[in-house]
Amino acid sequence: LLPYEEQLPNEHYAQGERIKCYLVAVEDSPRGVNLRLSRAHPKFVEKLFALEAPELANGSVIIKAIAREAGSRTKIAVASKERNIDPVGSCVGQRGVRVNTVISELGGEKIDIIEWSDAPATLIENALSPAVIKNLVLNEANREAVAEVNPDQFSLAIGKRGQNVRLAAKLTGWRIDIKSPELETEVTASETSASPD
């Protein structure tokens, strides 16, 4: 079974067509065993990258976190277990060949690959890319961050309909405020306000 909510928006499947899916659950029912499939699950993106990047398949590069709005955009935080391996480069591939293969399988879904950091400030700055953060103030007790950006970076940090900051909050687990003092504007996103997978 590939339920509607587990499909990518705007995808149409023809009878007999071969498609890749992620096996979410095996369910017993009175009519037999049901295999529940998904193309919208965050783990589907992880498995597609494992098919493309040997470093992910053999465990020398690991995906630490994924935030996904299926059919639209995904943010992935990756880390390397070996010092001489670039985790982001491993997923992107030479001239972007690996990431482009995954993007085409997902029907053009945008994918941001960032480097994981155990330092919250670095992780949040990376997660808000491609925007450049001018100043970051953390409240570790409440897991809240205020990111200050220049006016020309404000819409980039927020993203289309707040998507960039929403996915960054989901990826990091922090509530993130974006401020631009010159514009006197502020936008807030938290992982709880993010759209469900």
Side-chain angles (χ1 to χ4, degrees), residues 45-88:
V45 179
E46 187 177 324
K47 297 299 180 187
L48 287 175
F49 271 107
L51 290 173
E52 294 303 317
E55 297 88 345
L56 268 170
N58 68 26
S60 52
V61 171
I62 52 171
I63 294 177
K64 299 282 279 185
I66 296 182
R68 186 178 185 207
E69 291 185 5
S72 181
R73 192 170 186 177
T74 296
K75 279 186 184 280
I76 301 173
V78 291
S80 176
K81 287 184 173 179
E82 295 175 30
R83 194 174 289 180
N84 61 338
I85 293 178
D86 170 22
V88 175

Side-chain angles (χ1 to χ4, degrees), residues 6-189:
E6 298 293 353
Q7 298 173 21
L8 296 182
N10 307 320
E11 273 194 340
H12 305 285
Y13 311 111
Q15 196 166 359
E17 182 185 354
R18 294 173 71 99
I19 57 170
K20 289 181 178 147
C21 295
Y22 177 69
L23 179 60
V24 179
V26 179
E27 301 162 342
D28 270 323
S29 76
R31 297 175 66 183
V33 176
N34 285 333
L35 302 178
R36 190 178 174 88
L37 305 175
S38 175
R39 285 178 59 80
H41 200 283
K43 282 273 186 189
F44 182 52
V45 179
E46 187 177 324
K47 297 299 180 187
L48 287 175
F49 271 107
L51 290 173
E52 294 303 317
E55 297 88 345
L56 268 170
N58 68 26
S60 52
V61 171
I62 52 171
I63 294 177
K64 299 282 279 185
I66 296 182
R68 186 178 185 207
E69 291 185 5
S72 181
R73 192 170 186 177
T74 296
K75 279 186 184 280
I76 301 173
V78 291
S80 176
K81 287 184 173 179
E82 295 175 30
R83 194 174 289 180
N84 61 338
I85 293 178
D86 170 22
V88 175
S90 298
C91 294
V92 172
Q94 217 169 10
R95 294 202 274 295
V97 71
R98 291 175 180 175
V99 72
N100 285 336
T101 304
V102 174
I103 288 169
S104 67
E105 175 62 43
L106 298 174
E109 185 173 315
K110 288 185 180 130
I111 299 176
D112 297 338
I113 304 167
I114 65 153
E115 190 163 357
W116 174 266
S117 174
D118 290 322
T122 308
L123 180 61
I124 291 165
E125 282 187 27
N126 290 350
L128 286 168
S129 70
V132 177
I133 309 305
K134 187 168 77 173
N135 188 34
L136 191 65
V137 180
L138 300 182
N139 178 340
E140 299 215 17
N142 297 331
R143 289 180 72 80
E144 293 176 347
V146 178
E148 229 173 78
V149 296
N150 288 325
D152 64 326
Q153 295 290 305
F154 188 73
S155 61
L156 199 58
I158 302 304
K160 196 174 178 183
R161 292 191 291 276
Q163 189 180 59
N164 192 54
V165 68
R166 192 168 57 245
L167 285 173
K170 200 172 176 182
L171 190 76
T172 60
W174 284 64
R175 176 191 162 102
I176 302 172
D177 293 340
I178 306 289
K179 280 186 179 178
S180 186
E182 294 92 334
L183 294 173
E184 295 180 354
T185 313
E186 181 180 342
V187 172
T188 302

